Amino acid sequence: EKKINKIYYIMDPSNYIKINVPGDGGCFFHSVAWLYKLNQLLSRAQRTNQKQIVSDISGKDIIELSKTYRKLAIDWMKNNLDTWHHREIGLSLRQFIEIEILEDDNIDSVNDYIEKMKGITEYAGGSEVTAMGNVLETSIAIYTLNGDVLQPVPNAKYTHPDTDNLMEIYHNTGSSSYSGSYHYEPLFRKTNLLDFGSIENLFQTYVKKK
């Protein structure tokens, strides 16, 4: 991995497995659920010294966990609107949401926004990334492809102050197999401890097929 601009890293997409998740508005929470299950499987492999099969993860379990994560994130947001502040610029979560709703003519208040986000087809943004990072006590990094390299999306991350844990998620920025849509997908570093079966790495999925 090569450091550039003293801030961002260029990463090789062939080192990452990308999991397909439904493009139904809940893709961020589906991605988090997948990463949680994959980390569980990796921990089991390390503990038992036996390769684990990724296809053993149930799609139904992923969807149910995704719904649970959405609820936990929304509950955290409701409880921390005025107590959580961005470490660098000082804005509260309420202020961040107020900025977001300026762009949505259908939402008049922060409470309306919270209620809207309870819907399982509502697309997650920066506030939900922050909430999920706090709920799971993990940093969350969002990446996209720039040509044939994987790069962080500026201002689309949550850095937890008290842990080295990291979840990595791909965002297509509108250019993927889900034509015309913005879509999150889980990224997981390749490891010999997990059998990914026919799941392709990010390079095979997006770069090579262009």
Side-chain angles (χ1 to χ4, degrees), residues 53-180:
I53 311 298
V54 171
S55 59
D56 287 345
I57 295 174
S58 161
K60 182 179 178 181
D61 288 348
I62 292 291
I63 296 299
E64 289 307 308
L65 185 56
S66 169
K67 292 176 183 177
T68 298
Y69 280 159
R70 181 186 287 271
K71 183 181 185 308
L72 289 171
I74 299 304
D75 287 348
W76 184 90
M77 290 167 68
K78 285 194 297 185
N79 294 329
N80 291 275
L81 286 170
D82 300 303
T83 56
W84 181 87
H85 293 77
H86 192 284
R87 293 176 68 199
E88 295 172 0
I89 59 179
L91 291 180
S92 69
L93 182 61
R94 182 186 296 277
Q95 289 171 312
F96 271 110
I97 294 175
E98 287 173 343
I99 292 169
E100 288 190 48
I101 63 180
L102 289 175
E103 301 176 2
D104 192 331
D105 295 334
N106 298 316
I107 302 177
D108 297 321
S109 69
V110 172
N111 286 338
D112 286 348
Y113 178 89
I114 296 290
E115 287 301 311
K116 177 174 180 278
M117 284 308 303
K118 290 179 180 178
I120 61 173
T121 61
E122 294 298 331
Y123 183 84
S127 297
E128 291 71 41
V129 172
T130 294
M132 202 74 264
N134 277 277
V135 168
L136 294 178
E137 297 184 340
T138 184
S139 296
I140 299 175
I142 312 294
Y143 303 100
T144 191
L145 280 170
N146 181 6
D148 61 354
V149 295
L150 195 59
Q151 291 183 329
V153 178
N155 304 317
K157 64 179 181 178
Y158 173 70
T159 302
H160 196 287
D162 302 322
T163 181
D164 293 329
N165 295 335
L166 175 66
M167 284 186 165
E168 298 179 295
I169 295 176
Y170 178 73
H171 192 282
N172 66 16
T173 60
S175 57
S176 83
S177 55
Y178 296 85
S179 179

Side-chain angles (χ1 to χ4, degrees), residues 1 9 11-12 15-19 28 31-32 34-36 38-39 138-144 150-152 156-158 164-171 184-190:
E1 297 180 357
Y9 289 84
M11 296 177 293
D12 184 349
N15 291 333
Y16 285 85
I17 296 295
K18 182 196 69 64
I19 310 288
F28 171 74
S31 297
V32 172
W34 258 109
L35 292 171
Y36 177 80
L38 287 169
N39 279 316
T138 184
S139 296
I140 299 175
I142 312 294
Y143 303 100
T144 191
L150 195 59
Q151 291 183 329
K157 64 179 181 178
Y158 173 70
D164 293 329
N165 295 335
L166 175 66
M167 284 186 165
E168 298 179 295
I169 295 176
Y170 178 73
H171 192 282
Y184 291 106
E185 295 164 313
L187 289 176
F188 203 79
R189 289 178 184 266
K190 286 167 58 177

Side-chain angles (χ1 to χ4, degrees), residues 191-203:
T191 169
N192 293 329
L193 291 173
L194 299 182
D195 181 353
F196 289 95
S198 61
I199 299 173
E200 296 180 325
N201 65 46
L202 187 66
F203 180 85

